[in-house]
Amino acid sequence: MSATAKKTAPMAEDIRARKGGEPLVSLTAYTTPMAQMMDAHCDFVLVGDSVGMVLHGLPSTLGVTMEMMILHGQAVARGLSSAMMVIDMPFGSYEESPQQAFRNAARLMAETGAGAVKLEGGVEMAPTIAFLVKRGIPVMAHVGLTPQSINTLGGYKVQGRGTAGEALMADARAVAEAGAFSVVLEKVPASLADAVTQAVPIPTIGIGAGAGCDGQILVVDDMLGLFTAFKAKFVKRYATLGADGEAAIADYAREVRARSFPAPEHVFGDDAPEGKA
Ligand code: KIV
């Protein structure tokens, strides 16, 4: 490889090979500018179905459609060159049968260029994961708190506490055996996440699962302080872009009302030099 060769995006097998190594870095993205900002810093970027809540104002991820995922996936793809893109399968697009899952996963990958899909579920989704992987679709699994199941889980609760830890361990083992190349662990006690990370041969990607996982992911709007409807305990805000943006908009409104914007430097005169706008 020449010194000037461009870094190419990792593939699912490159992510799998990072098990036990330097922690994998990941964020969600939904737009081209956000994807451009994180491309050089993340190993993979997830076009998450959290897009429904953070960009579309939906009360949960349940209303997210294939069309929404494809539109945002295409936007994110335009902003990435060195990070891998993974895309979420929305609620209702894969649970019915492995065939339904294949049809929709293939469409997501073909129409967005994503390198893998992510779907929620453990033991019950293992046959579907195996079906997809055998047919050329890399799958990232997602166990623990699975937001598409809030109506059966009874809300956004910590998962796997006490004896429920055994079922969560079984879920993680099942998706790994089915061929998933990595697994997201959401909102589980750190000690359980550590035990799962030791037990499975694929990278664990934590969100609310402690520092012992093989990698971390956050929703970008949460960590930038853009989504402020609520803040989960596991979110660290690295910026306050929502508050900063509102303050900037308030300044603009004040200046427009006071006629101090636009100022002379923003205004065109009659006598522009030849050839200048
Ligand atoms: O949709 C999403 O943002 C996710 C992450 C929380 C992992 O699934």
Side-chain angles (χ1 to χ4, degrees):
M1 199 205 271
S2 81
T4 54
K6 212 161 158 257
K7 182 178 168 254
T8 54
M11 300 178 83
E13 286 310 305
D14 301 315
I15 299 293
R16 184 200 295 272
R18 295 275 299 274
K19 175 73 188 175
E22 187 189 21
L24 288 154
V25 179
S26 172
L27 287 169
T28 65
Y30 321 106
T31 63
T32 307
M34 279 293 191
Q36 284 168 334
M37 269 196 259
M38 60 185 72
D39 187 40
H41 306 285
C42 288
D43 297 297
F44 71 89
V45 167
L46 172 71
V47 186
D49 62 351
S50 49
V51 67
M53 296 174 77
V54 299
L55 285 200
H56 293 270
L58 294 174
S60 74
T61 57
L62 301 187
V64 174
T65 63
M66 282 288 291
E67 285 66 33
M68 286 163 77
M69 294 309 300
I70 288 169
L71 198 64
H72 288 284
Q74 290 170 340
V76 169
R78 284 179 212 116
L80 297 182
S81 60
S82 59
M84 179 189 181
M85 183 169 115
V86 180
I87 191 162
D88 257 340
M89 299 199 71
F91 180 61
S93 72
Y94 60 96
E95 301 89 333
E96 198 178 316
S97 66
Q99 288 78 7
Q100 181 213 25
F102 180 81
R103 207 163 38 249
N104 286 317
R107 184 173 168 215
L108 285 173
M109 289 181 68
E111 294 189 29
T112 67
V117 299
K118 177 168 81 58
L119 56 80
E120 298 183 4
V123 169
E124 75 287 5
M125 290 311 301
T128 295
I129 293 172
F131 189 90
L132 295 181
V133 173
K134 282 190 198 122
R135 287 159 181 78
I137 298 193
V139 178
M140 177 177 287
H142 183 158
V143 304
L145 174 64
T146 44
Q148 294 174 7
S149 302
I150 44 155
N151 289 309
T152 45
L153 293 176
Y156 296 94
K157 299 174 185 161
V158 177
Q159 302 295 308
R161 280 195 169 132
T163 53
E166 281 166 34
L168 201 142
M169 177 66 85
D171 281 335
R173 286 191 200 275
V175 299
E177 275 162 27
F181 70 92
S182 60
V183 57
V184 170
L185 303 180
E186 180 163 353
K187 213 167 177 180
V188 302
S191 58
L192 177 61
D194 290 351
V196 171
T197 300
Q198 295 302 314
V200 297
I202 56 174
T204 55
I205 311 296
I207 174 162
C213 294
D214 295 301
Q216 298 292 328
I217 187 164
L218 281 177
V219 170
V220 69
D221 291 58
D222 285 340
M223 58 86 74
L224 292 180
L226 276 168
F227 182 72
T228 52
F230 61 85
K231 188 183 97 58
K233 178 181 162 80
F234 58 77
V235 171
K236 175 173 175 182
R237 286 206 177 125
Y238 286 82
T240 53
L241 298 196
D244 295 350
E246 190 177 347
I249 290 166
D251 281 349
Y252 165 75
R254 200 166 30 250
E255 291 187 5
V256 168
R257 292 192 176 106
R259 294 192 188 282
S260 60
F261 177 83
E265 67 269 28
H266 307 119
V267 172
F268 300 105
D270 293 325
D271 51 354
E274 196 70 27
K276 290 243 170 134

